[in-house]
Amino acid sequence: MIKSATAISYELDDASAATRELAASIRDGLVLEADSVGILICDADADGAAISGELKDMLGINIVGMTTLAALNADGHREAAITLTVLTSSDCTFSAAVSAPLTKDGYEREIADAYEKTRSAAPSGDEKPGVIFVFCPYGLPFSGDKYPDAFAKIVPGVPVMGGVASDDYDYERADVFFSGGKYRNAMVLISIRGAVKPAFAIRHVTSRFAERIRRVVKAEGNIVYRVGDETMIEYLEGFGLKTDVDDPLLAFNSYPMMLTRDGGDETPLMRHISGLNHADGSGSFFGDVPTGAMANICLVNKEDVRAACRESMNALLAETGKRNDYTYSTVLCISCCGRAMILGADSGAEGQILSEMLPPGLKLMGAYCLGEICPTRHSEDEAVNRFHNCSITLCIL
Amino acid sequence: MPEESENLKIEYNKLARQFKKLERDYRALSIMHEQTERLRDANEAAKELSNFYNKLLLKNTPSVTFMLDTEMRFVLGSETTLNLLGYADMREMIGISFAALFASAMPETWVAETGARCQHVLETRNSASYEENVTLRNGRNIVFQMTVAPAAEDPDSHSRSVVVVMNDVSELARAREAAERASHAKSEFLSNMSHEIRTPLNAVIGMIAIAAGSDDLEKKDYCLQKIKDASTHLLGIINDILDMSKIEANKLELSFVDFSFEKMIQNVANVINFRVLEKQQEFFTRSDENIPQTLFGDDQRLSQVITNLLSNAVKFTPEKGSICLNALLVGENDGMCTLRIEVVDTGIGISEEQKARLFHSFEQAESGTSRKFGGTGLGLAISKRIVEAMNGEIWVESEPGKGSSFIFTAKIRRGADVSTPALSESNSESLAPTEDDFRGRRILLADDIEINREIVLSLLEDVIPDIDCATNGAEALALYAESPKRYDLILMDLQMPEMDGYEADRRIRALPDEHALRVPIIAMTANVFRDDIEQCLAAGMTDHIGKPLDINELYQKLRDYLPKNV
């Protein structure tokens, strides 16, 4: 089984002090077993690279991580904080790696190489991982869908869980870390092999819609040109929304687009607008938008966010309730930054709900991200991984 | 001091960080608030528009359409529903039970049954569609096409309400009844026709058998006369049926020619006199001297109507009764004369009920009439349509046992005052066929039916023995092309195998021989309507003669186109 401990520090200005605090807290709560890994989630103001480096030296384990708007621990989401979660096990292995810089044309190969590093580093490398955690940088020249798509080719059927690093909506300081290194254009990952039986849950917020359902007529990757008989911008303006905005991410934060595809067996996908091009009327999204999908704009409010959070935890616990042969220890929650912004002054609400619902003995960790990666379908033999927006995703180990 | 300064720096950093996050939150909330306001306004506008169209829909839905909730209370309905129930504002009705709302307008049993049906539909989620005749409380009778359907958000969910649509199909129901009556009348007509056609055919076949089995020449002559009578009668029946089918297909068209009204009346009288004499009836004609000598209209159709009325009068007037034909000019405006023609008899008369059906197709005064008096029952219907085509009216004034007056008006334009040839000049009856002699002339006869060829050959053998026969248009063309000047006239059937008469005519006319352009080609066909004749002439034929052949007409055509040897 996997055991874990989480620690928190608010020492953003002193990396060494933060490291000492985090390490001491972990040592107090956890005895490291045969293999371990540390996951560092920190505010962009903290020196994540230095902290991860010092923690590696101090704890003797690999530390991977990313910046976030707010980090999650058992007390809820915390801004201006640094959290460290250490996973340790005697019957699982945790092999971590950082990729080469990811490029538009070579990302598949670069991700495959990174995965290969984790495979070759693992004592039982030929064994299929039970789950892969990925932490991705923000602002790469391809959509978030490329991560799960790449893993579907490299290790088909293996569940992939993770997110895209965030900051305070500067979009300039969203980094990932790997044991002393800070990366703006590479991803870090952990392959977990052995006696691990993860379960997943995902929910978004969909109780209210603007009800101008239109079919996506022309889209390429994550850029949508025409929806119904309108350009993407005209479609948005049809809702009364202002499109001449400085920060499309914030301006459309409460109005993500829901995509449903013909056939009906796919979970609807949420997509956040990342940019608008007034020259050709197109809109770009964090994830791909398939031509032919039906689009509708959601009207998200605080209660939707809370409700989805409760639903996701219930769903996750229902999954774990099916297993009597496995002891769970840790819940990883990757939630969308947009949800935090919708909560506004109540930005701790999701963390509070999760904490309250967390069964005794389980540890909670997580982050707010600019894109979530989580399976929409998962069984022992198969996982269908997807990139999401405006969603809360949970993984339990 | 350095430690204090370091602490201050740390505090400053914390405050700066908090300020930055507040600034971020403010920025986010500002834009999100603005977007929310805008979207809410747009949504409100969209809702208002939707409400507006919903109201329009309810206002303009032509049927009684309403929705009831699961407790059978009124939710909403079309304005037609409000009108039916006597409400001015739908808001007055919302929440009131179906039974209470509809009790004021609809009969008690209807309310109970319809309520139960709505409840059943709600429970079973199965729609019901049916038609019912309802007498409203105000006495009005309406046939409703009813549809009661469950209303659910999706097919799998429970019904939230029931929708009732009541379409007033009274007109449709009446039309359907009328169509059923017409269909019944046609069936009866077919039955009558079967009788009417079989009767003269029976006479023809029976008389042929009698004649064949007898050596007595007088008896044979008697049989032939009866065969002739029966055949003429049969032809009349067939002509009536064809006329009516043409009228029903809206193909009745009048032809306009200058004609002598007096001569037309005289011809009609001549035709009817024969039958009047048979029944020892008295027959008078009175013609208004103000009627112009020449009229411009369809003399054939006009005489058809008068002949029909006179034939009926003769038929339904007992022996020694009297019949009078009156023709009056009742008005003239810009050369358009309004004639009033009356046929007055001392016959059996007609009841009011019979009058109502008299001018309908396929109906006689009573269905047994055709059995007793014969006829198709189409004559008056045909007459009515002809009169209407002449912008006139036809009606009957009668009482049972007191005779009848059939009267019609027709608007016919005054004709050009031209002298008309004396009746005798064109009266074919005055010239016996035996006086003609066309020996030395040669006719080409094209007809694919052997008996038709035989009839022509037999009828003409005494006056023109040189007739070459062709069995189709191609043969006729070949014979004529071989030696054009050999033929003085061509009798051409139209419907023939291989090459029809029209095509043969066109090809003959196209031959490079001057004779081919002027040789008389007379269509000899059973297609006898005016447009058939016009089609023949348009195709380049010289004239037309109808089948069955009238020997007098055939001789007249020969006289017209073949100079006699005498």
Side-chain angles (χ1 to χ4, degrees):
Chain A
M1 70 171 287
I2 294 172
K3 294 175 184 168
S4 67
T6 59
I8 188 163
S9 169
Y10 297 96
E11 289 289 354
L12 298 191
D13 300 313
D14 186 340
S16 295
T19 304
R20 285 193 299 277
E21 188 181 359
L22 292 169
S25 178
I26 292 295
R27 280 181 180 135
D28 282 349
L30 188 69
V31 176
L32 297 186
E33 298 189 351
D35 198 11
S36 305
V37 70
I39 300 173
L40 179 75
I41 309 288
C42 66
D43 189 284
D45 280 354
D47 186 350
I51 296 169
S52 64
E54 290 180 30
L55 279 171
K56 177 180 165 61
D57 295 340
M58 209 170 281
L59 297 175
I61 58 175
N62 276 323
I63 305 292
V64 299
M66 63 179 171
T67 57
T68 185
L69 180 72
L72 177 69
N73 73 353
D75 298 323
H77 279 105
R78 291 288 180 266
E79 290 194 40
I82 307 161
T83 63
L84 173 67
T85 301
V86 172
L87 305 175
T88 187
S89 178
S90 55
D91 51 14
C92 290
T93 63
F94 310 94
S95 42
V98 58
S99 74
L102 299 176
T103 57
K104 189 175 183 182
D105 299 324
Y107 66 88
E108 273 188 20
R109 190 187 63 250
E110 288 135 16
I111 292 172
D113 289 346
Y115 171 74
E116 180 56 26
K117 284 187 212 169
T118 68
R119 196 193 65 77
S120 57
S124 55
D126 292 338
E127 188 187 348
K128 207 171 174 182
V131 62
I132 298 173
F133 285 168
V134 296
F135 303 110
C136 312
Y138 173 79
L140 293 186
F142 49 81
S143 83
D145 284 280
K146 304 309 177 199
Y147 298 112
D149 290 352
F151 280 105
K153 291 180 182 171
I154 299 162
V155 274
V158 172
V160 178
M161 175 79 188
V164 176
S166 62
D167 57 15
D168 279 342
Y169 283 92
D170 294 338
Y171 314 115
E172 301 284 337
R173 301 181 300 149
D175 301 321
V176 298
F177 313 113
F178 181 76
S179 299
K182 180 173 82 173
Y183 304 92
R184 185 65 47 82
N185 53 9
M187 65 179 286
V188 295
L189 66 161
I190 307 168
S191 296
I192 305 177
R193 291 180 172 80
V196 58
K197 293 184 177 175
F200 303 89
I202 170 171
R203 290 292 185 274
H204 35 60
V205 276
T206 56
S207 67
R208 296 179 309 144
F209 302 95
E211 299 297 1
R212 281 185 78 231
I213 300 172
R214 298 287 187 275
R215 195 173 285 281
V216 176
V217 174
K218 186 183 176 192
E220 288 171 13
N222 64 330
I223 299 175
V224 179
Y225 293 94
R226 295 198 72 80
V227 181
D229 58 352
E230 300 168 305
T231 65
M232 184 64 218
I233 288 179
E234 287 168 345
Y235 175 60
L236 292 170
E237 288 172 345
F239 293 100
L241 294 169
K242 183 178 179 181
T243 59
D244 183 16
V245 291
D246 295 333
D247 188 340
L249 194 58
L250 285 181
F252 295 97
N253 187 54
S254 297
Y255 314 107
M257 191 163 79
M258 176 184 271
L259 296 173
T260 47
R261 283 175 278 189
D262 292 339
D265 58 342
E266 271 283 358
T267 305
L269 293 177
M270 305 295 284
R271 289 289 177 260
H272 257 315
I273 289 171
S274 58
L276 295 172
N277 183 344
H278 283 272
D280 63 6
S282 67
S284 56
F285 290 79
F286 283 99
D288 287 346
V289 177
T291 298
M294 296 304 293
N296 198 5
I297 295 292
C298 306
L299 313 177
V300 186
N301 64 17
K302 289 181 184 182
E303 193 42 51
D304 291 322
V305 173
R306 290 192 185 99
C309 181
R310 276 189 290 270
E311 277 184 32
S312 65
M313 194 59 169
N314 278 329
L316 188 75
L317 296 177
E319 279 296 309
T320 59
K322 295 174 188 171
R323 291 188 180 279
N324 299 319
D325 57 343
Y326 186 82
T327 305
Y328 287 99
S329 66
T330 314
V331 174
L332 169 64
C333 170
I334 301 293
S335 187
C336 178
C337 287
R339 299 166 66 84
M341 298 312 295
I342 290 164
L343 289 168
D346 300 324
S347 62
E350 276 199 318
Q352 190 180 345
I353 290 168
L354 293 176
S355 298
E356 288 168 3
M357 294 179 74
L358 193 69
L362 287 180
K363 303 292 189 296
L364 184 60
M365 60 173 288
Y368 274 121
C369 288
L370 290 170
E372 305 79 59
I373 298 166
C374 178
T376 52
R377 228 174 32 238
H378 173 242
S379 66
E380 283 195 12
D381 305 320
E382 183 205 26
V384 177
N385 302 304
R386 291 278 183 254
F387 179 78
H388 311 273
N389 287 137
C390 207
S391 302
I392 178 168
T393 63
L394 299 176
C395 169
I396 188 165
L397 300 175
Chain B
M1 281 301 286
E3 191 179 337
E4 195 175 325
S5 170
E6 190 60 26
N7 286 340
L8 277 174
K9 189 180 170 190
I10 289 170
E11 284 305 310
Y12 171 81
N13 283 345
K14 280 184 181 171
L15 285 172
R17 197 171 289 124
Q18 282 174 5
F19 179 77
K20 191 179 168 192
K21 288 184 189 300
L22 283 172
E23 190 184 51
R24 176 204 69 196
D25 288 350
Y26 175 76
R27 189 160 53 98
L29 290 173
S30 296
I31 182 69
M32 283 162 62
H33 177 72
E34 184 183 352
Q35 292 286 55
T36 303
E37 289 280 301
R38 294 169 68 101
L39 189 128
R40 193 180 60 195
D41 290 348
N43 253 5
E44 285 299 315
K47 270 185 197 167
E48 274 179 30
L49 194 64
S50 176
N51 283 341
F52 171 73
Y53 282 118
N54 283 342
K55 280 181 187 170
L56 270 191
L57 178 69
L58 291 175
K59 189 174 178 65
N60 293 284
T61 298
S63 57
V64 175
T65 302
F66 57 92
M67 185 179 267
L68 304 174
D69 66 13
T70 52
E71 303 295 319
M72 293 292 113
R73 288 184 302 245
F74 185 86
V75 176
L76 56 84
S78 63
E79 192 162 293
T80 314
T81 311
L82 274 64
N83 295 340
L84 174 74
L85 302 178
Y87 282 82
D89 191 327
M90 191 169 69
R91 286 171 296 186
E92 284 182 75
M93 302 161 69
I94 294 170
I96 299 178
S97 75
F98 165 77
L101 270 182
F102 280 77
S104 59
M106 308 298 278
E108 199 176 321
T109 49
W110 183 91
V111 173
E113 285 168 11
T114 308
R117 203 182 289 260
C118 289
Q119 194 70 53
H120 181 71
V121 166
L122 202 59
E123 287 162 7
T124 60
R125 288 194 283 168
N126 293 324
S127 297
S129 192
Y130 53 98
E131 191 175 297
E132 63 182 0
N133 195 331
V134 186
T135 303
L136 273 52
R137 284 196 181 270
N138 63 11
R140 208 172 139 220
N141 193 269
I142 300 179
V143 180
F144 283 115
Q145 171 62 47
M146 304 281 297
T147 301
V148 185
E153 282 185 295
D154 59 68
D156 297 328
S157 59
H158 287 297
S159 299
R160 298 280 301 275
S161 63
V162 61
V163 177
V164 181
V165 180
M166 300 166 59
N167 275 312
D168 182 347
V169 293
S170 305
E171 284 297 320
L172 200 63
R174 276 193 282 277
R176 191 177 55 213
E177 274 176 30
E180 282 167 359
R181 275 202 305 275
S183 172
H184 177 72
K186 281 189 180 178
S187 298
E188 200 161 294
F189 165 78
L190 281 176
S191 168
N192 286 344
M193 282 310 94
S194 173
H195 173 265
E196 289 304 316
I197 291 170
R198 279 169 182 274
T199 301
L201 271 179
N202 182 53
V204 170
I205 294 166
M207 284 296 151
I208 288 170
I210 292 167
S214 174
D215 294 331
D216 184 347
L217 286 179
E218 274 188 28
K219 192 160 192 175
K220 283 183 191 284
D221 282 349
Y222 172 81
C223 289
L224 286 173
Q225 184 57 46
K226 290 294 177 190
I227 290 168
K228 187 186 172 195
D229 291 348
S231 302
T232 306
H233 180 59
L234 188 58
L235 182 61
I237 289 170
I238 290 168
N239 281 340
D240 264 7
I241 295 169
L242 294 177
D243 246 359
M244 198 62 219
S245 72
K246 203 172 169 75
I247 285 170
E248 295 241 316
N250 287 323
K251 285 187 177 170
L252 176 67
E253 287 176 11
L254 298 179
S255 297
F256 295 90
V257 293
D258 281 319
F259 69 96
S260 161
F261 180 75
E262 189 185 340
K263 200 174 96 183
M264 187 270 294
I265 291 290
Q266 193 183 334
N267 282 341
V268 170
N270 285 342
V271 170
I272 214 71
N273 247 330
F274 169 71
R275 288 183 240 174
V276 166
L277 288 173
E278 268 188 346
K279 291 188 76 172
Q280 299 172 28
Q281 295 162 329
E282 288 182 311
F283 178 47
F284 309 98
T285 59
R286 294 193 193 99
S287 189
D288 187 340
E289 60 184 16
N290 293 322
I291 295 174
Q293 193 180 1
T294 308
L295 294 171
F296 181 70
D298 193 328
D299 58 332
Q300 286 185 19
R301 290 294 185 186
L302 188 60
S303 66
Q304 184 182 350
V305 176
I306 299 170
T307 303
N308 178 255
L309 297 184
L310 286 173
S311 296
N312 285 346
V314 171
K315 200 186 293 179
F316 296 106
T317 299
E319 289 190 356
K320 296 185 179 166
S322 68
I323 296 160
C324 186
L325 169 64
N326 298 321
L328 304 162
L329 177 70
V330 293
E332 183 176 358
N333 187 11
D334 270 353
M336 182 62 81
C337 303
T338 302
L339 302 184
R340 176 186 167 108
I341 313 290
E342 300 171 350
V343 174
V344 183
D345 66 47
T346 57
I348 57 176
I350 301 162
S351 71
E352 286 301 316
E353 189 196 348
Q354 290 167 336
K355 281 182 203 170
R357 291 186 288 134
L358 212 51
F359 294 99
H360 291 177
S361 305
F362 310 117
E363 291 192 22
Q364 293 181 321
E366 52 186 68
S367 59
T369 305
S370 67
R371 292 272 186 271
K372 190 173 172 186
F373 295 100
T376 58
L378 291 175
L380 287 175
I382 294 168
S383 296
K384 182 172 186 284
R385 302 293 278 271
I386 293 172
V387 166
E388 284 168 354
M390 293 179 179
N391 297 314
E393 289 178 283
I394 187 166
W395 70 94
V396 60
E397 294 170 359
S398 178
E399 280 182 48
K402 293 186 178 175
S404 306
S405 296
F406 280 84
I407 303 157
F408 73 91
T409 58
K411 286 188 176 6
I412 304 175
R413 188 162 289 285
R414 179 184 281 274
D417 270 335
V418 290
S419 60
T420 52
L423 184 63
S424 59
E425 282 179 24
S426 62
N427 189 343
S428 57
E429 298 281 351
S430 64
L431 290 172
T434 50
E435 291 176 11
D436 295 300
D437 185 359
F438 303 106
R439 287 168 200 281
R441 308 291 177 193
R442 182 174 289 272
I443 288 177
L444 173 57
L445 167 65
D447 199 313
D448 58 322
I449 306 295
E450 188 183 357
I451 186 121
N452 288 347
R453 297 196 299 272
E454 195 178 329
I455 288 168
V456 174
L457 290 173
S458 298
L459 289 174
L460 298 182
E461 65 183 349
D462 291 339
V463 294
I464 180 163
D466 296 326
I467 300 178
D468 291 344
C469 291
T471 59
N472 59 50
E475 270 185 30
L477 174 64
L479 280 172
Y480 181 82
E482 195 179 301
S483 182
K485 293 185 176 59
R486 180 179 165 85
Y487 298 108
D488 299 294
L489 185 143
I490 301 171
L491 292 172
M492 182 78 78
D493 185 21
L494 293 182
Q495 292 179 9
M496 291 185 288
E498 205 168 323
M499 182 187 290
D500 67 20
Y502 295 113
E503 183 64 19
D505 170 74
R506 273 191 289 272
R507 294 212 187 180
I508 288 170
R509 294 295 189 214
L511 287 172
D513 189 309
E514 194 267 339
H515 182 269
L517 286 174
R518 56 183 170 80
V519 61
I521 302 177
I522 299 175
M524 194 173 63
T525 172
N527 300 342
V528 294
F529 290 123
R530 188 177 294 277
D531 47 2
D532 298 321
I533 297 169
E534 284 168 0
Q535 197 180 346
C536 291
L537 300 180
M541 296 188 190
T542 315
D543 208 338
H544 172 281
I545 183 165
K547 289 177 186 171
L549 286 176
D550 178 333
I551 187 167
N552 293 317
E553 190 183 2
L554 178 59
Y555 271 74
Q556 185 58 46
K557 298 296 180 193
L558 295 183
R559 276 179 222 120
D560 290 346
Y561 299 107
L562 287 179
K564 285 188 294 184
N565 285 332
V566 181

